[in-house]
Amino acid sequence: MSQNHEYHQPNAPDANPSDPESDIEVDLQELDPIDGPGFTHYDQPSTKTRRRDPGGVIPLRNLRTRALRGFGRRSRKHDDALRQEQENGEDLQELLQDSLNTQDSSGSTEPEDGAPLLPNKTFLPTRRSYSQGRRSRMPSQIRLPKFITGGSEYLRSQNRDWTTPQIEPEVTGTTRSIRIGEYPLPRFPPNSISNAKYTPWSFLPRTLYNEFSFFFNMYFLLVALSQLIPPLRIGFISTYIAPLAFVLFISLGKEALDDIARRRRDNEANKEEYVVLRFTDNGVGHQKAGRKGKRKKTKMKNRERSPIEGRLDAIAEEERNIEGLSPSQGSNLEVDEIKVKSRDLKVGHILKLCKDQRIPADSIILKSYTAESVIVPKGKQIEYTESSSQPDLIGHSLDRIAVADGTGTALTTKELVSTGLSGSSQDGNGIGEAFIRTDQLDGETDWKLRLASPLVQTLDPHDFTRLTVVAGKPDRKVNEFVGTVELSPRPKSPKKDVTIGSGDAVPGQDQKIMTAPLTIDNTAWANTILASSATVLALVVYTGVETRQALSTSSSRSKTGLLDCEINNLTKILCALTLILSVVLVGLEGFNSREGQPWYVAITRFLILFSTIIPISLRVNLDMGKSVYAWFIEKDPGMPGAVVRTSTIPEDLGRIEYLLSDKTGTLTQNEMVLKKIHVGTVSYANEAMDEISAYVRQGFSSASSIDASQPTVLVTPSTMYNVGSTITRTRREIGSRVRDIVLALALCHNVTPTAEMEGGQNITTYQASSPDEIAIVRWTESVGLRVIHRDRHSIALQSVDTSRITVRVKILEVFPFASEGKRMGIILQFLQGSETTTEVSTTRGEIWFYQKGADTVMTSIVAANDWLDEETANMAREGLRTLVVGRRRLSQQQYQEFSTRYGEASMSFQSRDSNMAQVIHEHLERNLELLGVTGVEDKLQQDVKPSLELLRNAGIKIWMLTGDKVETARCVAVSAKLVSRSQHIHTITKLPSLVRTQPTAAADALSLLNSNPDSTALLIDGDSLSYLLSHHRTSFITTAVLLPAVIACRCSPTQKADIALLIRTHTNKRIACIGDGGNDVSMIQAADVGVGIVGKEGRQASLAADFSITQFHHLTKLLLWHGRNSYKRSAKLAQFVIHRGLVISVAQTVYSIATHFEPHALYRDWLLVGYATVYTMMPVFSLVLDKDVDEHLANLYPELYRELTPGTSLSYETFFVWLLVSIYQGTIIQGLSQILVGSVDSPRMVSVSFTTLVINELVMVAFEITTWHWIMIASLLGTFAIYAGSVPFLGDYFDLSYVWSWGFVWRVAAIAAISLVPPYCVKVLRRTLRPPSYRKVRGV
């Protein structure tokens, strides 16, 4: 930006007087004295203020009266200027760009020591003084009075509901300006969760399209429609239309019920209530929120006002705005709390959030406090100062918020935080800061520290109406945010100073508008969890589909099972056979006209007659079977809480070849436990931890005074208590080393203890950004040393045995953990004296530097040793996350030298981070004393190891996609046995930067993977994965799908979904994705089968998944048992239904040939319908209860699952086998019936043929059953009884007198035997020569 930002001076003219467009000239005749409503000012800092009469004087310096005078003829010009401003949006674009530039070169959003609190590039411009050189840009930057640009909306705003805030119109369409305390505009989406696939308007079109995209549904639709044509009509039209309508009713009904269930679950989340601050104005001219009747009357009065009165009211409003007033500041404003459902939250609402609450929308943290919080430290005075307009090195004016502490210097952000103005209390209550858990958003297990802007933290909620927040456009990037917050001045008051919050004077504040930047550190995105014990006030900025969570989530889609697609292909073959057969039968007659109808009509009638080859009941049986499988899954006692949300794809559970799994909350519980510690010569684990407790008790408890009334002497590393001479020297040395590492672990961290009341007891809990650190601090407490206090300046340790403080330290410097450095350090000064009196001076007090980090970086930092590499390797093989701990003592001179150099490096403008790291390395990270190594375990979910082993033996390739760090993912992969001992882990990290120096690095990595894919597991980070998918997409995915395991780290939700989609499209194999967090929803929806785990932090993944379970180990039963049964049963059911239709079609063909190719039906009306329903349906459908092995054998031999993935149970081979069997049986049944009865077309022949056909199907069902169930027996016997009982009512089709004769019986028995015995003999012979695997494992 070439021009410097300047604050608008209220006393300065708004334009150059020489400018011909200047509004300085005022025609006083146009202004009437104002006897009406006066201007409102704050006389006191409280929210209820007095109104006073300004004496009928209008400050003309703030009015652009030429705009009023020429309102009628200049309105179009103003409209054009506003429209151009909205289109260009130059100011806000510059604002966003400048906000981005305020970050340092490393991308960190934390302010440095020397950085101004209000960077010079982040102002929100209000007005400008335009120079002659910028006059051409005035149309896009001119600011018009609101009574001109607002129109009727302005008048309506005078009687507004103060429950929800006002959002100013977007300037560019990409950013939003949120003004707290006024109406929202109705352009932002509602804050509702929706996992539904359909809307009431899209349900029928989408479901009908999905249904008729299946070939046989479209085929039967055409057949049914053909019956509307008289020449093509065969039998009752209902026999064709009713089955199709029934199929559609069943299918659409299932979809509707599934979607209704999704909506009900969504409704539960949308009905969750949250506390929202409501701003209510009780002043004159304003009504309380909710009194709609009075608001309506006020609007009517506004309409009856004269134009001059309305214009003067608008002038008063503009006057208040120019002086920094909002309507709420000029009235009696009250703030109360109301409960609002999640779906009713709007942009601009202020949420009040407590610990463990889910954040329902993307929000900006305004304030964080606890019950013991102090808003402004006593004795501190906030002073808003403006620096001179002299440009800095970059060429912009500097504006800072300063604290008047007597030094006369303006404090930086870091100094301001340390004084408590940002909300940090001196007792560690964590004011102004909050921890959030984001594992449901990005998969990272570390807690994130979020801060309230120092500009807002000290405000009373009543003053929030002075805030305007500008936020960038909605974006899916969860780690980026750019915005600003503007604090408008208080109203003019007769008093000299105006107070903030607790009453501190703010001289001259009414002269300025303060602006501060907002970054990712000030945000709390939707679907994260507030982990702190503090209460947080947060402003909603994005809702619904505009949240980061929603933008990273793909829309749900209708899923079709692989079995359905295969059956669809088979029906196409059957249709082709039907067409060929029809053409052949007509062609044998020479394509001559019959009964006055053309030959193509005969072909069409044959097609309709043979339509039973493609049985419409197939879809009914399959859909009903899916419902039965879903019922089995939900009622399985071994899978409590399982829910089937998509009941159309249970067969795909038996065809999975790739499993993509999240880590946090899916494979692990995200609960860290320190399992092992090594101090060089001795390793402690399990019961041996009691020995450490004894050493700690000797070193820290024995130093306590025996008299409880006497204070305890504080312990330092050099004065730590040593046991007497009765202990051997070796044990004395071991004890000293143990105490040293316990003390180091209790001090070297960023953990803050908090006290909470649970069940009437005071419980100490810990807050930190890393669960590893919490696990270590809990362990130190378990062995006898508790962190009792921690703030930014000091740490206090307490002996658990005596409950006395034994260690106090002053924090001099903290070097937080960074993924690049992989280590964390702290410089401490130990206090001397007793627990009540401490002594700190520049010359006394031991100064120690403690550091812990990954073994890969700490090996070169600690002193030479011969055991570190071996021990860390042993812990890594056990799946433990290792941390190496070291220390170094510093003299006063060494520390002062380091502090000077470090301060100089922190002020550098170029390569600041690298300069600071270099100073730390040169002065501190040299020859540290190695204290020991810790091993922390991320507790796995129940039975994860055997579950992964079963899935791997079943032939399923497992990919772990996580947003966590590389080291964490490696440890979990090893501990969970995702990677077997025989497999080598090949790691690819930071590939984009590596390629710059080694152009062949990517190709070399891929060639190494190709050399031995069967025994190599891949560990890759997100950046390297993105690079390979962009530049080596085909070669990478071709290699990766061959690997037994792939671990991808630092993956965004979008990357997870892209990987799932890529595997699907590249391999054409079935993939399943499993996760428990909101960050897994996209991946779950992109998979063929999505499985959601009901997590501790939410149900987003469960709601969006096809199948919901409560534990990861339930997945093995879901796939290996229920998946196997669903696929095998549906395959057998589908083939048998096809066989049933083929048999009757072959019989129809034989009959047509015998009747000289006449297109007449063999079985008409009820016989045709009854055959496909009451006479065969129940026995055939009972096959859904069949099983070839029991659950124990399915888990004992997971290799049986491998046979299912190729789809051998329903293939072209099995289809043609059933086709041959159907041709044989249909020919025998119809041919022998005609021969033995001696008639081609008579009721006797039909009775013999049809009865044999029904018996044939019932016996064939019995032949196919592997494991008998009582329902199967009942269905067979019951169906035969129903048929026998219905024969007396079939007189229209049968010769009943012949049916009761012995001639009928022996003919039916003979024909049935000839049609059934040969196929059964072939089946027995084949099963004996080539027994299937299930018979081998069953031993039969």
Side-chain angles (χ1 to χ4, degrees):
M1 212 156 50
S2 61
Q3 299 293 334
N4 296 335
H5 289 289
E6 297 179 2
Y7 282 118
H8 171 68
Q9 301 296 331
N11 296 322
D14 290 319
N16 191 345
S18 62
D19 190 344
E21 297 296 327
S22 173
D23 293 332
I24 296 299
E25 302 175 7
V26 178
D27 186 353
L28 297 180
Q29 299 301 323
E30 293 186 2
L31 299 176
D32 296 331
I34 299 179
D35 298 326
F39 302 108
T40 305
H41 297 267
Y42 274 125
D43 292 329
Q44 298 293 337
S46 68
T47 57
K48 295 189 176 182
T49 60
R50 297 194 299 266
R51 304 172 63 89
R52 61 184 179 88
D53 188 357
V57 178
I58 298 179
L60 303 180
R61 57 182 172 80
N62 288 328
L63 297 180
R64 300 187 177 228
T65 52
R66 284 196 62 188
L68 291 174
R69 184 174 56 202
F71 180 79
R73 52 188 169 84
R74 293 182 59 189
S75 59
R76 179 173 300 177
K77 181 177 180 180
H78 285 298
D79 291 342
D80 294 340
L82 180 61
R83 188 180 302 109
Q84 186 170 354
E85 179 181 1
Q86 291 175 337
E87 292 174 354
N88 296 335
E90 181 177 346
D91 289 342
L92 284 180
Q93 291 292 351
E94 292 173 347
L95 165 69
L96 293 180
Q97 183 62 36
D98 292 342
S99 298
L100 284 171
N101 294 335
T102 60
Q103 300 181 11
D104 58 42
S105 57
S106 66
S108 174
T109 57
E110 290 190 0
E112 300 294 342
D113 290 344
L117 181 61
L118 292 180
N120 53 342
K121 295 184 180 181
T122 56
F123 298 117
L124 180 65
T126 55
R127 291 192 187 178
R128 298 173 181 243
S129 297
Y130 296 94
S131 63
Q132 294 290 337
R134 300 182 67 185
R135 189 175 301 141
S136 60
R137 295 174 57 187
M138 286 182 62
S140 65
Q141 296 174 333
I142 189 168
R143 178 180 176 184
L144 303 178
K146 291 184 180 178
F147 56 84
I148 295 177
T149 60
S152 60
E153 291 297 330
Y154 167 77
L155 294 177
R156 285 195 293 269
S157 68
Q158 302 310 299
N159 297 280
R160 57 176 61 90
D161 182 355
W162 297 94
T163 304
T164 52
Q166 168 78 19
I167 299 154
E168 295 179 354
E170 297 183 27
V171 177
T172 63
T174 58
T175 60
R176 59 189 60 186
S177 180
I178 306 170
R179 188 168 180 177
I180 299 178
E182 297 180 8
Y183 269 124
L185 297 181
R187 60 169 176 258
F188 297 116
N191 190 56
S192 58
I193 298 173
S194 178
N195 290 292
K197 294 181 180 179
Y198 312 103
T199 65
W201 298 272
S202 67
F203 175 74
L204 277 179
R206 289 185 60 184
T207 52
L208 290 177
Y209 173 81
N210 293 334
E211 289 300 317
F212 289 113
S213 62
F214 287 100
F215 176 79
F216 53 87
N217 278 356
M218 179 58 70
Y219 176 81
F220 275 104
L221 176 63
L222 295 176
V223 171
L225 293 177
S226 69
Q227 296 305 292
L228 300 177
I229 304 175
L232 301 180
R233 186 172 300 166
I234 301 175
F236 297 127
I237 190 174
S238 59
T239 60
Y240 296 92
I241 295 179
L244 178 63
F246 181 70
V247 169
L248 293 178
F249 176 78
I250 294 295
S251 300
L252 270 62
K254 284 177 74 282
E255 284 291 313
L257 290 176
D258 290 344
D259 214 50
I260 290 172
R262 293 189 192 96
R263 288 184 177 275
R264 287 175 178 170
R265 291 186 292 269
D266 291 340
N267 200 32
E268 293 177 5
N270 292 330
K271 283 185 176 180
E272 187 176 358
E273 291 187 339
Y274 290 87
V275 176
V276 173
L277 299 188
R278 178 174 61 177
F279 300 90
T280 308
D281 193 331
N282 296 327
V284 177
H286 298 279
Q287 304 298 334
K288 279 191 175 183
R291 298 172 65 179
K292 299 181 180 178
K294 292 191 176 182
R295 285 204 306 270
K296 184 175 181 181
K297 293 179 180 179
T298 308
K299 291 181 181 179
M300 295 299 296
K301 292 179 180 179
N302 283 339
R303 295 193 187 100
E304 297 172 0
R305 289 179 181 177
S306 65
I308 294 180
E309 290 177 343
R311 187 170 64 185
L312 293 180
D313 287 344
I315 293 174
E317 175 71 11
E318 179 69 12
E319 183 71 18
R320 285 196 296 268
N321 291 338
I322 292 175
E323 293 186 2
L325 291 169
S326 69
S328 62
Q329 293 166 334
S331 57
N332 298 320
L333 185 66
E334 292 183 356
V335 180
D336 58 354
E337 298 177 356
I338 60 173
K339 287 189 176 182
V340 176
K341 294 180 180 179
S342 176
R343 66 187 177 197
D344 297 328
L345 292 175
K346 295 180 174 59
V347 173
H349 272 156
I350 296 179
L351 300 171
K352 182 179 179 182
L353 302 168
C354 301
K355 184 179 180 182
D356 292 331
Q357 248 189 315
R358 182 183 71 89
I359 298 172
D362 287 358
S363 307
I364 299 294
I365 294 179
L366 300 179
K367 191 181 188 69
S368 176
Y369 60 91
T370 61
E372 302 84 6
S373 63
V374 179
I375 300 300
V376 180
K378 195 172 183 179
K380 292 289 182 181
Q381 194 177 54
I382 302 178
E383 179 182 353
Y384 293 84
T385 65
E386 182 179 0
S387 67
S388 65
S389 59
Q390 297 292 332
D392 63 1
L393 295 177
I394 304 177
H396 300 277
S397 60
L398 297 176
D399 292 83
R400 299 151 65 97
I401 295 180
V403 178
D405 56 359
T407 63
T409 59
L411 302 182
T412 63
T413 300
K414 184 175 181 179
E415 295 166 338
L416 191 69
V417 167
S418 65
T419 64
L421 290 178
S422 71
S424 289
S425 66
Q426 301 303 318
D427 58 354
N429 285 328
I431 303 305
E433 62 184 36
F435 285 102
I436 61 173
R437 295 197 294 268
T438 63
D439 51 333
Q440 298 297 303
L441 180 66
D442 56 17
E444 296 188 16
T445 57
D446 295 351
W447 289 9
K448 304 297 188 303
L449 177 63
R450 292 294 185 258
L451 303 171
S453 173
L455 186 64
V456 185
Q457 170 64 27
T458 55
L459 292 180
D460 187 271
H462 294 80
D463 292 322
F464 284 171
T465 54
R466 298 163 51 202
L467 295 176
T468 300
V469 173
V470 177
K473 66 178 182 180
D475 197 342
R476 68 173 58 185
K477 297 177 181 177
V478 297
N479 294 319
E480 295 182 13
F481 176 75
V482 176
T484 58
V485 57
E486 177 189 279
L487 177 63
S488 61
R490 287 179 177 271
K492 288 188 176 180
S493 172
K495 294 199 173 188
K496 182 177 180 180
D497 293 329
V498 180
T499 59
I500 288 183
S502 60
D504 298 299
V506 186
Q509 184 193 356
D510 57 340
Q511 302 292 324
K512 304 175 196 52
I513 295 177
M514 306 305 297
T515 308
L518 295 175
T519 65
I520 187 65
D521 293 330
N522 309 115
T523 62
W525 299 142
N527 208 32
T528 58
I529 307 296
L530 182 62
S532 305
S533 299
T535 300
V536 170
L537 301 182
L539 172 69
V540 176
V541 291
Y542 306 112
T543 54
V545 296
E546 292 183 347
T547 61
R548 259 58 173 182
Q549 171 73 54
L551 292 174
S552 299
T553 303
S554 58
S555 58
S556 59
R557 61 187 179 91
S558 298
K559 297 183 179 180
T560 303
L562 181 59
L563 184 73
D564 293 330
C565 297
E566 292 171 344
I567 293 175
N568 197 48
N569 292 331
L570 295 180
T571 57
K572 295 177 183 178
I573 298 176
L574 293 175
C575 183
L577 293 176
T578 303
L579 179 61
I580 293 172
L581 184 59
S582 301
V583 173
V584 169
L585 292 178
V586 176
L588 292 177
E589 285 291 308
F591 295 100
N592 297 321
S593 298
R594 300 186 179 186
E595 301 178 357
Q597 300 292 342
W599 59 269
Y600 53 80
V601 174
I603 292 178
T604 307
R605 287 175 62 87
F606 272 121
L607 283 173
I608 297 171
L609 286 174
F610 295 145
S611 62
T612 53
I613 290 181
I614 309 174
I616 195 171
S617 59
L618 177 61
R619 282 302 305 275
V620 177
N621 283 273
L622 290 178
D623 287 346
M624 293 175 61
K626 296 175 192 292
S627 299
V628 172
Y629 309 148
W631 188 86
F632 285 151
I633 293 173
E634 293 182 344
K635 299 302 180 181
D636 191 334
M639 298 170 54
V643 178
V644 178
R645 307 198 189 280
T646 304
S647 59
T648 58
I649 55 172
E651 299 90 357
D652 281 3
L653 292 171
R655 308 286 294 278
I656 301 300
E657 295 191 49
Y658 291 91
L659 174 65
L660 277 59
S661 173
D662 179 41
K663 178 187 72 68
T664 306
T666 303
L667 298 178
T668 68
Q669 300 180 29
N670 197 24
E671 294 181 6
M672 309 297 176
V673 178
L674 194 148
K675 302 289 289 185
K676 194 173 186 180
I677 187 169
H678 196 284
V679 295
T681 56
V682 182
S683 179
Y684 296 93
N686 302 323
E687 292 81 6
M689 295 295 183
D690 295 337
E691 188 174 347
I692 294 181
S693 300
Y695 287 132
V696 172
R697 191 162 45 250
Q698 293 169 359
F700 295 96
S701 300
S702 300
S704 302
S705 174
I706 299 176
D707 187 356
S709 62
Q710 297 297 321
T712 299
V713 177
L714 297 181
V715 175
T716 66
S718 60
T719 63
M720 191 174 298
Y721 179 82
N722 290 316
V723 296
S725 58
T726 57
I727 305 300
T728 63
R729 179 180 178 182
T730 301
R731 287 188 59 82
R732 189 161 56 247
E733 292 178 352
I734 293 174
S736 177
R737 301 192 67 166
V738 167
R739 289 188 288 272
D740 286 340
I741 192 172
V742 171
L743 179 62
L745 293 175
L747 294 173
C748 186
H749 54 74
N750 280 312
V751 179
T752 301
T754 58
E756 297 180 355
M757 293 298 295
E758 292 184 6
Q761 296 182 349
N762 196 6
I763 306 297
T764 300
T765 60
Y766 299 104
Q767 301 175 9
S769 61
S770 172
D772 298 65
E773 290 195 325
I774 294 179
I776 291 174
V777 171
R778 284 176 176 168
W779 177 81
T780 62
E781 180 181 3
S782 69
V783 296
L785 197 59
R786 177 187 295 126
V787 180
I788 193 64
H789 170 81
R790 164 72 186 258
D791 56 26
R792 289 186 174 91
H793 312 290
S794 63
I795 301 176
L797 304 182
Q798 179 189 66
S799 171
V800 175
D801 291 334
T802 63
S803 297
R804 308 287 289 273
I805 295 178
T806 59
V807 178
R808 284 188 183 273
V809 296
K810 177 184 179 181
I811 301 175
L812 301 180
E813 292 286 349
V814 177
F815 313 106
F817 178 87
S819 57
E820 295 80 12
K822 300 180 181 179
R823 56 192 182 275
M824 178 264 173
I826 190 170
I827 299 179
L828 304 170
Q829 185 174 26
F830 284 81
L831 309 187
Q832 299 178 353
S834 66
E835 60 179 324
T836 57
T837 60
T838 57
E839 177 184 353
V840 180
S841 68
T842 57
T843 59
R844 301 187 61 181
E846 303 174 22
I847 299 178
W848 288 83
F849 168 63
Y850 289 96
Q851 191 173 57
K852 64 183 180 183
D855 59 288
T856 55
V857 296
M858 293 294 292
T859 302
S860 60
I861 295 176
V862 299
N865 60 88
D866 57 356
W867 59 270
L868 178 59
D869 293 339
E870 180 182 358
E871 189 58 33
T872 54
N874 292 335
M875 290 187 181
R877 279 192 291 270
E878 297 176 18
L880 301 179
R881 306 164 71 163
T882 57
L883 282 177
V884 180
V885 185
R887 70 175 182 177
R888 179 184 178 186
R889 183 168 183 176
L890 303 176
S891 64
Q892 290 288 342
Q893 181 180 357
Q894 288 175 326
Y895 172 70
Q896 291 298 332
E897 182 181 354
F898 161 78
S899 181
T900 302
R901 290 283 310 279
Y902 190 69
E904 294 173 353
S906 65
M907 297 298 292
S908 60
F909 281 90
Q910 295 181 352
S911 304
R912 176 182 298 178
D913 290 343
S914 60
N915 292 340
M916 294 169 65
Q918 183 66 25
V919 172
I920 295 173
H921 179 70
E922 291 177 356
H923 290 265
L924 301 179
E925 296 179 338
R926 291 182 179 274
N927 295 321
L928 266 64
E929 177 189 354
L930 177 59
L931 297 179
V933 182
T934 63
V936 177
E937 179 189 41
D938 189 354
K939 294 180 66 176
L940 299 175
Q941 293 279 4
Q942 180 183 352
D943 295 333
V944 162
K945 294 181 182 180
S947 298
L948 291 176
E949 185 178 1
L950 275 176
L951 295 174
R952 190 166 51 246
N953 292 336
I956 299 175
K957 294 181 174 62
I958 304 172
W959 290 40
M960 186 174 76
L961 310 180
T962 177
D964 222 330
K965 298 183 287 292
V966 174
E967 295 80 6
T968 305
R970 179 194 294 271
C971 293
V972 172
V974 173
S975 61
K977 306 301 181 184
L978 177 64
V979 179
S980 64
R981 292 182 176 271
S982 61
Q983 293 173 354
H984 165 69
I985 301 179
H986 180 64
T987 305
I988 301 177
T989 58
K990 300 180 180 179
L991 187 60
S993 59
L994 187 61
V995 169
R996 297 189 188 100
T997 57
Q998 301 178 20
T1000 62
D1004 294 341
L1006 292 176
S1007 62
L1008 181 60
L1009 291 175
N1010 277 319
S1011 62
N1012 193 8
D1014 294 334
S1015 60
T1016 303
L1018 174 62
L1019 176 62
I1020 187 171
D1021 64 358
D1023 293 338
S1024 302
L1025 180 64
S1026 298
Y1027 179 84
L1028 289 175
L1029 292 179
S1030 300
H1031 298 84
H1032 305 274
R1033 188 181 188 89
T1034 303
S1035 56
F1036 169 73
I1037 194 63
T1038 302
T1039 302
V1041 295
L1042 300 177
L1043 302 177
V1046 176
I1047 302 102
C1049 312
R1050 294 296 185 187
C1051 287
S1052 65
T1054 306
Q1055 276 184 320
K1056 293 182 178 182
D1058 291 342
I1059 293 173
L1061 185 61
L1062 183 61
I1063 298 175
R1064 280 181 51 209
T1065 55
H1066 182 79
T1067 63
N1068 289 325
K1069 306 293 186 182
R1070 296 283 104 173
I1071 69 168
C1073 294
I1074 182 171
D1076 74 315
N1079 61 312
D1080 303 316
V1081 171
S1082 294
M1083 174 181 69
I1084 287 173
Q1085 293 179 339
D1088 297 299
V1089 176
V1091 182
I1093 296 180
V1094 180
K1096 298 179 180 178
E1097 316 302 343
R1099 296 173 295 172
Q1100 287 75 20
S1102 170
L1103 292 174
D1106 305 307
F1107 301 89
S1108 174
I1109 56 179
T1110 57
Q1111 295 288 334
F1112 180 85
H1113 68 92
H1114 293 164
L1115 181 66
T1116 57
K1117 189 169 189 179
L1118 187 66
L1119 298 182
L1120 271 61
W1121 174 239
H1122 290 287
R1124 176 184 184 83
N1125 289 337
S1126 299
Y1127 171 64
K1128 296 280 286 186
R1129 291 165 174 171
S1130 286
K1132 184 178 290 187
L1133 178 63
Q1135 291 177 132
F1136 214 92
V1137 173
I1138 291 175
H1139 163 264
R1140 186 178 61 186
L1142 280 171
V1143 169
I1144 195 172
S1145 297
V1146 172
Q1148 174 67 48
T1149 303
V1150 174
Y1151 172 76
S1152 298
I1153 295 174
T1155 56
H1156 304 287
F1157 310 104
E1158 291 293 335
H1160 297 308
L1162 171 61
Y1163 309 121
R1164 295 177 294 107
D1165 306 335
W1166 170 250
L1167 294 183
L1168 195 61
V1169 174
Y1171 174 75
T1173 55
V1174 295
Y1175 295 153
T1176 59
M1177 184 173 180
M1178 286 304 299
V1180 172
F1181 186 71
S1182 67
L1183 292 174
V1184 300
L1185 302 175
D1186 194 18
K1187 56 183 180 181
D1188 52 359
V1189 295
D1190 57 24
E1191 184 179 351
H1192 172 70
L1193 290 177
N1195 292 326
L1196 186 61
Y1197 300 100
E1199 294 78 8
L1200 291 173
Y1201 190 85
R1202 295 174 182 262
E1203 299 178 353
L1204 306 180
T1205 53
T1208 55
S1209 296
L1210 179 61
S1211 61
Y1212 289 114
E1213 178 185 353
T1214 59
F1215 169 73
F1216 284 110
V1217 168
W1218 278 99
L1219 178 62
L1220 293 176
V1221 172
S1222 301
I1223 293 174
Y1224 168 77
Q1225 291 184 333
T1227 303
I1228 292 297
I1229 292 173
Q1230 183 60 28
L1232 290 182
S1233 296
Q1234 295 175 171
I1235 294 173
L1236 295 179
V1237 174
S1239 173
V1240 174
D1241 187 9
S1242 66
R1244 289 191 174 187
M1245 186 277 298
V1246 172
S1247 60
V1248 172
S1249 174
F1250 190 79
T1251 303
T1252 306
L1253 192 63
V1254 171
I1255 294 175
N1256 181 81
E1257 288 305 302
L1258 298 181
V1259 176
M1260 285 294 292
V1261 169
F1263 286 169
E1264 291 300 315
I1265 293 175
T1266 304
T1267 304
W1268 284 90
H1269 191 280
W1270 67 267
I1271 294 181
M1272 297 176 176
I1273 301 174
S1275 64
L1276 286 171
L1277 298 179
T1279 299
F1280 184 78
I1282 290 174
Y1283 176 73
S1286 65
V1287 168
F1289 303 97
L1290 301 178
D1292 294 339
Y1293 314 103
F1294 292 173
D1295 184 350
L1296 296 181
S1297 60
Y1298 179 73
V1299 168
W1300 306 117
S1301 65
W1302 281 106
F1304 171 82
V1305 174
W1306 75 261
R1307 286 178 174 83
V1308 170
I1311 297 172
I1314 297 173
S1315 68
L1316 290 170
V1317 173
Y1320 181 73
C1321 293
V1322 172
K1323 180 178 180 180
V1324 171
L1325 181 63
R1326 183 182 179 184
R1327 194 165 54 191
T1328 303
L1329 297 177
R1330 287 198 315 173
S1333 299
Y1334 74 86
R1335 293 184 64 85
K1336 294 179 182 178
V1337 299
R1338 292 178 59 182
V1340 295

